Amino acid sequence: MSIRIRRVYEPPEPEDGVRVLVDRLWPRGVSKDAARVDEWPKALTPSTELRRWYHAGEGSYEEFAGRYEAELAAPEAAELLDHVRELTRKGPVTLLTAAKTPEESHAAVLKRLLG
């Protein structure tokens, strides 16, 4: 099982496998052709409220991660998480995000939960 996190702005690589965009909003300045996204499960992304709270600097990354994990327990998000987990059993999966620091983003939480 291979799960990677990459910025969506980086060019696709053959070892990416299935490319899953894990941001709720389409990244600015990236065409759909250039991004080569295979799946975009929007219900798997943090809620708008949680995203705004975190980006406003109102809480720590650890608190954000806990709140995001709670959101992922909702039925639709849990089903999508299982779907992506199933993809990882078939081959490599790359989680794509526009986050400037992917290691402290929701993509890192997803990677941990999928692994």
Side-chain angles (χ1 to χ4, degrees):
M1 169 180 1
S2 170
I3 304 168
R4 297 174 12 153
I5 299 173
R6 297 188 65 218
R7 292 198 72 222
V8 70
Y9 301 106
E10 299 171 340
E13 295 179 351
E15 54 272 4
D16 285 347
V18 178
R19 293 170 54 88
V20 180
L21 180 63
V22 294
D23 290 349
R24 186 168 298 267
L25 304 174
W26 188 263
R28 289 185 180 178
V30 177
S31 72
K32 294 192 182 203
D33 287 339
R36 213 193 90 222
V37 168
D38 297 307
E39 301 211 12
W40 188 15
K42 292 180 189 176
L44 193 58
T45 65
S47 67
T48 300
E49 296 78 18
L50 181 58
R51 217 173 14 89
R52 287 182 180 157
W53 173 84
Y54 183 53
H55 292 301
E58 296 179 22
S60 67
Y61 174 71
E62 291 75 22
E63 188 176 355
F64 164 79
R67 289 181 180 197
Y68 180 42
E69 284 185 45
E71 288 186 353
L72 291 172
E76 186 178 6
E79 186 177 316
L80 287 170
L81 191 62
D82 286 342
H83 170 71
V84 175
R85 189 174 288 117
E86 187 60 34
L87 292 175
T88 67
R89 292 184 183 116
K90 297 176 183 176
V93 171
T94 298
L95 305 177
L96 300 171
T97 182
K100 291 180 183 174
T101 54
E103 63 279 355
E104 285 192 358
S105 74
H106 62 288
V109 175
L110 285 173
K111 180 179 179 182
R112 180 173 45 79
L113 293 175
L114 291 167

